[in-house]
Amino acid sequence: MFFEQDNGALFADFAVAASYNGAAIAVIFSEGYKAINAVTGGVESTEPQAICKSADAEAMSHGEQIVINDMAYYITGIEPDGTGITVIVLSK
């Protein structure tokens, strides 16, 4: 890993509890706006994501489920950034 920092304070202040394979992990959840081909009248939706410590995402695989705020999501993307943080792209 190129650079890893202590992100404990970030997760202590902003994280919610999630459940992955029966284990509790801390994630920062967002469900921001997503437009697909908006110029031609495409689909408008949300793009749920969970940001977690990379150590918590090491065993994750595409297609598995994670539960956040009592909602089950499928993992569709796993994007480590090299600083100890991983963005998990989700789908309902």
Side-chain angles (χ1 to χ4, degrees), residues 1 4 52-59 84-86:
M1 184 168 297
E4 190 165 332
C52 67
K53 294 180 181 180
S54 294
D56 292 335
E58 289 177 349
I85 297 291
T86 297

Side-chain angles (χ1 to χ4, degrees), residues 1-20:
M1 184 168 297
F2 175 70
F3 172 76
E4 190 165 332
Q5 60 188 12
D6 179 14
N7 298 304
L10 176 69
F11 288 96
D13 291 341
F14 300 105
V16 297
S19 176
Y20 169 72

Side-chain angles (χ1 to χ4, degrees), residues 38-54:
V39 174
T40 60
V43 176
E44 294 179 354
S45 185
T46 60
E47 184 177 43
Q49 297 182 15
I51 299 170
C52 67
K53 294 180 181 180
S54 294

Side-chain angles (χ1 to χ4, degrees), residues 2-86:
F2 175 70
F3 172 76
E4 190 165 332
Q5 60 188 12
D6 179 14
N7 298 304
L10 176 69
F11 288 96
D13 291 341
F14 300 105
V16 297
S19 176
Y20 169 72
N21 280 346
I25 63 170
V27 301
I28 299 170
F29 179 72
S30 69
E31 197 166 12
Y33 173 79
K34 173 83 174 181
I36 303 169
N37 204 2
V39 174
T40 60
V43 176
E44 294 179 354
S45 185
T46 60
E47 184 177 43
Q49 297 182 15
I51 299 170
C52 67
K53 294 180 181 180
S54 294
D56 292 335
E58 289 177 349
M60 291 183 182
S61 297
H62 293 88
E64 292 183 316
Q65 284 191 337
I66 186 170
V67 177
I68 305 168
N69 297 329
D70 296 322
M71 173 69 74
Y73 296 91
Y74 291 98
I75 297 171
T76 60
I78 303 167
E79 304 172 355
D81 72 358
T83 67
I85 297 291
T86 297

